[in-house]
Amino acid sequence: MPESIRFQDFQRTFWTQNSEISANDIFPAAERDAEGNVIPVPHAPVKLNRAEVFRLIQPYVSVRFMDQIRAVVPLALYLTLFQLLILNQVVEDSWLITGGLLAVIVGLLFFMEGLNLGLMPLGELIGGGLPRKSPLPVVLFITLLLGIGVTFAEPAIGALQAAGSNVSVERAPYLYALLNDWSGTLVLVVGAAVGLAAVVGTLRFLYGWSLKPLIYLALAPVLILTIYASMDPDLTATLGLAWDAGAVTTGPVTVPLVLSLGIGIAMAGGKGGGGLSGFGIVTLASLFPILGVLLLALYVSTTVTPAEIIEAATQAAGAVSQAAPAWYETSPGADIVLGVQAILPLVVFLLLVQKLVVREEIPHKGEVVYGITLTIIGMCIFNIGLTYGLSKLGGNAGSLVPSAFMAIEAVAKSPMYVFAVGLTIAIAFAWFLGFLATIAEPALNALGATAEELTQGVFKKKTLIKAVSIGVAFGIAIGLCKLIFGWSLVYMIVPGYAVAIILTMFSSETFVNVAWDSAGVTTGPVTVPLVLAMGLGFGNATQAIEGFGILCMASIGPIITVMLTGLWSRYKVSRESRSALQAASTTHQTEVQAVL
Amino acid sequence: MSQMTYLTDAWMITCVVSTATNQARDMLLAARDFGAKGALGYHVRGYGARERLGKLGIAVETDKDVINVLVSSDQRDSVFEAMFRAGELDRPSAGFMYLTKLEKLAAYVPASIMKELKEAGKVRSAL
């Protein structure tokens, strides 16, 4: 005889663990005083024990941690596996690099969270309040200063400065001078150029200028100066740095902060509604620094001769070996000093503007202070990780990849493959590195969503991400070829930008905006140091004069691919709509839809 | 099986007011003074009512704020009334609000509160 259990009995035993409280015991009603007025209910903070605090924090941290893991680990894994499987090389100092990468992840985690809690609310407050409180010239001047501040705070700028020590002074004296003796001025010039770009971009929002003439106007002097510099054998070496500087500037600090101010100004002027507002600043912020660095290089070349630089460098090298460097000059100390130096001026500047010009109370003051502290700590940890993790890994990979097709001292049995095969492997390596690094970039996702919205779904988000990734991939592959064959950068930049200008003339305003901005957006704080270090290591191994120039090829690539894709999709849409109009409406419903 | 604690005697106040007049903010402040611990807000578009007012319909904003406040039955009437007054819902087209009885309300109850209530004998085992 089968036993039976009443469902209710089963349910009762099943649910007995549950308990029930009246909401009245937790949420008491407000009491009234003698006159019948309400005494406001005090909102006492809830006390949590340690286990509860852990369970509250755990999802908060792990979501953000995974974001950074996703940005760093696939790339690091790709580089390591490539070295292991194709080149049969064990990664040197693997523990140090792993620790460095962990520092990059934790540093970025702190930095981004601090940015969202501290600097961003401050920037938004100023962006919203400043245009209402001050006349336009003052606002634009503050925008200019902000451009300088954010450039110093950009994490990837540190990579540019770190690259200076690897440049050979005899072969590229001016490049060496720019990156060592003039490195402060270099960043200042780049910052001023970013500030100027922010000013012009803001004016563009305000008066609704088209981006096309601005691009032509900015590109003309840049290209002329580039051609001029390429005539001078000493100046040629600085070209790669100048063009790479443009790609480095537009990172996670600059873009949102400058944009929030620009959009705030445009909104106050009543011109913020257009779908394209917000675009263009990134483009200009990647073109103007090129001009700035080129001009600085020209200026340096008129003040000092190569011989003087080489002499000074050899003297300095002698001096350093005598005195032991102070703690703030060696690696971990110097990284921390750099980190504090980068963020603090920006914070002080923002606070001054807030106090003196905007004069509005900062909401959630404690959170903002916490955020700023977190940003500084994150920047310091990131800098340490940059030195020991990303730069080392990129440099390692860069110096080993050439062993696929040429003889390298460090690698026994090199070249490992027949020249043609090895070369193909090296170029394919660069192509996939570019593709992988870009497709994971979170900023690109946001740009894709905006582009899809702007074009009413004609230009899909996925299409944009693919177009940009392929563009970057080809750019990095071509940049690598430049190092291998020692091509001059001019022969790639001038035709590349000529194609881009022609495509710009034929493309609609929307696509011009999206395409030129996508170039700046792709180069984030993980990609830049990695690619930069790889290029430099590669350059050293192949005996190229300098390893710059890869990043700028990664900028021009997506501009061309996105505009080509845009033109193609426009052609497709026009063909479809033409055929749709020609086809007779078959049913009543489709006829109605056609009218709608 | 993990343990569930649910609250009885819980009610939800829902208010639909126009966005432009900033009523939602005043109503939330009033609700807080009367003991409500938190609220949810939505921005929505309303349809219907303005068409019935003829030409006067242009005075009705279609952009609406919806706020949900969870309260206990003891708080219910005082919070409801306070929010009504704060939002000045006794004007035409100012919006409306309603009360919904919630059968059960379940969430995590912090251990310190749970302990306190257990000692006071206010936690019942649910059947």
Side-chain angles (χ1 to χ4, degrees):
Chain A
M1 171 115 179
E3 279 192 53
S4 64
I5 306 172
R6 274 180 71 223
F7 182 58
Q8 208 168 352
D9 290 336
F10 164 75
Q11 223 176 11
R12 177 176 297 183
T13 38
F14 196 69
W15 288 114
T16 37
Q17 292 192 28
N18 288 354
S19 41
E20 178 182 278
I21 306 172
S22 167
N24 291 321
D25 295 326
I26 295 190
F27 308 127
E31 291 177 20
R32 286 171 193 273
D33 61 12
E35 281 112 56
N37 296 323
V38 173
I39 309 164
V41 177
H43 287 261
V46 178
K47 281 202 183 63
L48 295 179
N49 62 31
R50 229 174 264 163
E52 286 173 321
V53 169
F54 174 75
R55 284 169 64 189
L56 184 69
I57 300 253
Q58 188 258 328
Y60 167 81
V61 174
S62 67
V63 167
R64 286 158 179 76
F65 194 69
M66 283 313 292
D67 276 350
Q68 303 308 335
I69 293 248
R70 239 173 269 142
V72 176
V73 170
L75 276 181
L77 217 59
Y78 172 66
L79 286 183
T80 316
L81 284 180
F82 187 83
Q83 289 190 25
L84 273 179
L85 299 180
I86 311 271
L87 304 177
N88 292 324
Q89 293 291 320
V90 182
V91 180
E92 283 171 49
D93 301 327
S94 56
W95 286 109
L96 198 62
I97 291 181
T98 311
L101 288 179
L102 200 66
V104 167
I105 292 171
V106 173
L108 273 180
L109 166 77
F110 278 30
F111 183 78
M112 297 308 281
E113 185 62 12
L115 205 61
N116 286 336
L117 285 177
L119 287 179
M120 282 307 143
L122 212 55
E124 273 161 29
L125 201 65
I126 292 176
L130 189 62
R132 282 185 280 115
K133 297 271 165 85
S134 345
L136 191 60
V138 177
V139 176
L140 291 180
F141 181 66
I142 289 174
T143 312
L144 182 72
L145 291 181
L146 185 75
I148 301 174
V150 291
T151 305
F152 274 95
E154 200 60 67
I157 279 282
L160 205 58
Q161 289 173 327
S165 46
N166 294 335
V167 174
S168 128
V169 65
E170 283 84 14
R171 300 178 61 192
Y174 286 129
L175 182 64
Y176 180 86
L178 279 180
L179 285 173
N180 291 288
D181 311 337
W182 297 72
S183 69
T185 326
L186 180 74
V187 180
L188 194 69
V189 166
V190 171
V194 171
L196 202 64
V199 170
V200 177
T202 305
L203 285 174
R204 184 182 103 84
F205 295 164
L206 211 50
Y207 299 116
W209 295 340
S210 163
L211 187 62
K212 289 182 186 183
L214 286 179
I215 291 177
Y216 304 146
L217 281 179
L219 263 181
V222 172
L223 287 180
I224 291 169
L225 269 180
T226 303
I227 293 171
Y228 173 78
S230 70
M231 312 278 187
D232 187 328
D234 286 324
L235 278 177
T236 316
T238 60
L239 276 180
L241 170 70
W243 283 86
D244 277 4
V248 173
T249 51
T250 45
V253 190
T254 312
V255 177
L257 261 183
V258 171
L259 271 189
S260 72
L261 191 59
I263 292 177
I265 297 169
M267 293 279 253
K271 294 274 172 59
L276 284 176
S277 70
F279 279 96
I281 283 190
V282 173
T283 305
L284 296 174
S286 37
L287 287 180
F288 283 12
I290 305 173
L291 191 62
V293 175
L294 282 175
L295 285 175
L296 181 69
L298 272 183
Y299 173 73
V300 172
S301 73
T302 53
T303 47
V304 281
T305 61
E308 282 170 18
I309 297 170
I310 295 170
E311 196 180 326
T314 40
Q315 268 179 9
V320 163
S321 58
Q322 283 164 11
W327 66 271
Y328 55 84
E329 283 168 350
T330 52
S331 177
D335 293 329
I336 290 169
V337 171
L338 266 180
V340 175
Q341 264 178 359
I343 306 288
L344 221 48
L346 178 65
V347 171
V348 171
F349 171 70
L350 285 178
L351 285 179
L352 274 182
V353 172
Q354 167 66 27
K355 260 256 148 13
L356 301 178
V357 190
V358 179
R359 290 190 297 269
E360 263 172 47
E361 196 59 25
I362 302 173
H364 309 296
K365 250 187 195 153
E367 256 178 45
V368 172
V369 172
Y370 166 74
I372 290 172
T373 319
L374 215 55
T375 315
I376 295 177
I377 295 174
M379 187 75 169
C380 295
I381 300 178
F382 177 79
N383 271 338
I384 294 174
L386 195 67
T387 313
Y388 293 106
L390 284 182
S391 296
K392 228 181 167 73
L393 185 64
N396 256 350
S399 57
L400 287 178
V401 167
S403 70
F405 60 89
M406 61 184 274
I408 301 278
E409 279 173 38
V411 182
K413 286 194 292 182
S414 64
M416 309 182 61
Y417 302 95
V418 188
F419 183 75
V421 177
L423 196 64
T424 317
I425 289 176
I427 292 172
F429 161 78
W431 198 94
F432 280 106
L433 179 71
F435 192 79
L436 284 177
T438 314
I439 215 154
E441 194 69 48
L444 189 58
N445 214 16
L447 184 77
T450 319
E452 185 168 333
E453 204 177 295
L454 277 178
T455 55
Q456 279 99 30
V458 173
F459 206 82
K460 295 273 186 304
K461 191 170 97 176
K462 270 188 195 157
T463 320
L464 181 89
I465 293 179
K466 255 188 234 157
V468 173
S469 304
I470 290 175
V472 172
F474 274 114
I476 289 186
I478 293 173
L480 204 71
C481 292
K482 174 222 168 221
L483 293 182
I484 296 172
F485 300 112
W487 293 338
S488 171
L489 200 57
V490 195
Y491 298 124
M492 281 171 295
I493 284 176
V494 176
Y497 275 88
V499 171
I501 286 178
I502 294 169
L503 287 174
T504 304
M505 288 174 183
F506 287 111
S507 295
S508 67
E509 182 73 22
T510 314
F511 282 119
V512 170
N513 276 282
V514 173
W516 284 84
D517 268 23
S518 65
V521 161
T522 51
T523 41
V526 179
T527 319
V528 168
L530 206 58
V531 171
L532 214 53
M534 196 193 77
L536 292 172
F538 202 94
N540 279 342
T542 54
Q543 307 290 313
I545 296 173
E546 38 96 27
F548 290 104
I550 295 188
L551 278 178
C552 76
M553 293 316 293
S555 292
I556 179 68
I559 299 179
I560 295 176
T561 50
V562 170
M563 276 197 290
L564 276 179
T565 320
L567 285 175
W568 169 246
S569 74
R570 196 170 66 173
Y571 166 73
K572 234 175 26 184
V573 165
S574 75
R575 202 183 51 181
E576 269 168 25
S577 65
R578 217 180 306 134
S579 64
L581 280 176
Q582 280 164 358
S585 304
T586 44
T587 63
H588 180 63
Q589 277 89 344
T590 51
E591 206 168 313
V592 170
Q593 276 169 4
V595 173
L596 281 174
Chain B
M1 202 185 92
S2 71
Q3 193 176 356
M4 180 170 81
T5 307
Y6 57 80
L7 310 185
T8 56
D9 304 315
W11 292 71
M12 177 168 74
I13 301 176
T14 307
C15 319
V16 181
V17 290
S18 86
T19 306
T21 46
N22 227 348
Q23 285 154 285
R25 187 176 163 275
D26 300 338
M27 295 170 87
L28 288 177
L29 287 176
R32 191 176 69 176
D33 280 349
F34 278 79
K37 297 294 178 191
L40 291 174
Y42 318 88
H43 189 72
V44 303
R45 180 175 289 274
Y47 295 97
R50 58 184 283 165
E51 280 80 5
R52 302 183 56 191
L53 294 174
K55 290 189 181 65
L56 281 174
I58 53 159
V60 182
E61 312 271 359
T62 53
D63 279 347
K64 302 284 183 195
D65 279 334
V66 176
I67 40 183
N68 282 342
V69 184
L70 299 182
V71 291
S72 62
S73 59
D74 287 357
Q75 297 170 321
R76 181 190 63 198
D77 294 323
S78 54
V79 174
F80 195 69
E81 194 184 322
M83 289 180 78
F84 186 88
R85 286 179 200 283
E88 296 175 11
L89 294 195
D90 50 351
R91 286 184 294 114
S93 94
F96 59 96
M97 57 196 292
Y98 53 88
L99 261 170
T100 321
K101 179 165 171 46
L102 303 179
E103 205 67 48
K104 286 172 181 177
L105 174 66
Y108 178 74
V109 180
S112 57
I113 293 179
M114 201 64 187
K115 193 171 158 234
E116 204 174 292
L117 290 174
K118 260 191 186 138
E119 279 160 9
K122 287 184 172 162
V123 181
R124 301 179 296 273
S125 103
L127 294 181

